[in-house]
Amino acid sequence: MADINVQIKQRNGEIWDNLCPKTKAENVTESAAKRFVSDTEKASWNGKQTALGFTPENASKKGTANGYPELDASGKVPASQLPSYVDDVLEYANQAAFPSSGETGKIYIAIDTNKTYRWGGTGYVEISASLALGETSSTAYRGDRGKTAYDHSQSAHAPANAQKNSDITKAEIEAKLTGVISSHSHASGTPSAHGATHITGGADVIPGAVAGGNAGLMSGVDKSKLDGLPSITVNVTEPESPSSGDLWYAII
């Protein structure tokens, strides 16, 4: 009697489970969609996972809770997948571009002015105090002018109204003098120190007396005349026996 294969099956939902006997592998027909896998092939496939050096991520976990964040077109994590404290500073072209209602705890920057603001509940409040430039007690001094003044202070210079500290010529003094000098004084002994300059041979000889009998200094010529006068002997009493040529002067 030929062998007869008898199978007992049990319905399991939409499929049949073989109960007895189990289907032998050699009785299963392979197709393009279903084939047996050998131990060698299984080992080769398992080795490929090890060769990767990492465990591939499950794409279904990307951007989901308990998953991992994704990257946007610029290669950055979208703000929606970051905690709020990471994205506390927001930049806008200007204050007019701020959201109509801000969020507490965030800082808003107006790029055109570089001023920072916070949301005050009903409006934006500036955080960075505006820096006013100028030259009054309530403004900051211009940095370029401050640098110019500092550079000037570090170089050798004299004040604009400083007196000349080199040799001054007579012409320069006379050019500066105005009005009349009513009084002056000399240190002790100063006139005698330059007395020799006022006589003949000196650098500043005093001229002779003015003509016409006016009072003044005696000229050198007049002094020579006086020095050339002969000595005169005055007799108080008239001689009893005068000699020829004697002069007699009477003092009245």
Side-chain angles (χ1 to χ4, degrees):
M1 185 175 195
D3 292 338
I4 297 175
N5 290 329
V6 178
Q7 292 183 334
I8 300 174
K9 295 185 176 181
Q10 182 180 14
R11 188 70 174 175
N12 182 11
E14 296 181 356
I15 63 174
W16 290 93
D17 290 335
N18 291 323
L19 299 180
C20 184
K22 294 289 185 181
T23 303
K24 297 180 180 179
E26 57 269 19
N27 293 332
V28 178
T29 303
E30 294 184 278
S31 66
K34 296 181 179 180
R35 293 182 181 277
F36 290 113
V37 177
S38 67
D39 290 341
T40 301
E41 289 173 324
K42 290 173 62 179
S44 175
W45 292 345
N46 291 337
K48 293 181 183 298
Q49 172 65 43
T50 303
L52 288 175
F54 64 91
T55 302
E57 296 287 350
N58 185 346
S60 64
K61 297 291 186 179
K62 183 172 63 175
T64 63
N66 297 321
Y68 56 91
E70 57 186 324
L71 302 179
D72 58 18
S74 62
K76 298 179 180 179
V77 178
S80 61
Q81 297 181 28
L82 294 172
S84 60
Y85 62 81
V86 177
D87 197 24
D88 281 345
V89 179
L90 305 176
E91 293 184 342
Y92 295 89
N94 48 50
Q95 188 177 357
F98 288 3
S100 57
S101 296
E103 297 181 43
T104 302
K106 290 186 179 294
I107 297 175
Y108 299 85
I109 300 177
I111 297 176
D112 61 337
T113 61
N114 284 328
K115 293 182 179 180
T116 57
Y117 299 82
R118 63 177 177 81
W119 177 248
T122 57
Y124 291 96
V125 180
E126 184 182 351
I127 299 175
S128 58
S130 300
L131 180 63
L133 298 178
E135 299 177 5
T136 66
S137 60
S138 60
T139 57
Y141 195 69
R142 283 179 46 175
D144 57 342
R145 291 185 178 178
K147 183 179 185 305
T148 299
Y150 175 77
D151 291 344
H152 178 68
S153 69
Q154 299 303 301
S155 61
H157 67 281
N161 61 346
Q163 294 182 348
K164 184 176 179 181
N165 57 7
S166 60
D167 293 338
I168 302 176
T169 64
K170 176 176 176 291
E172 289 176 322
I173 295 176
E174 291 178 343
K176 293 293 184 181
L177 291 176
T178 59
V180 177
I181 299 177
S182 59
S183 64
H184 69 284
S185 61
H186 294 285
S188 177
T190 300
S192 62
H194 65 271
T197 65
H198 298 321
I199 62 176
T200 301
D204 188 19
V205 178
I206 298 176
V210 293
N214 294 322
L217 298 176
M218 181 182 294
S219 68
V221 175
D222 291 340
K223 181 66 167 59
S224 296
K225 289 179 181 180
L226 290 176
D227 291 342
L229 291 176
S231 299
I232 299 174
T233 301
V234 179
N235 294 321
V236 179
T237 59
E238 181 180 352
E240 294 180 357
S241 301
S243 300
S244 177
D246 288 342
L247 295 176
W248 179 80
Y249 297 90
I251 299 176
I252 301 175

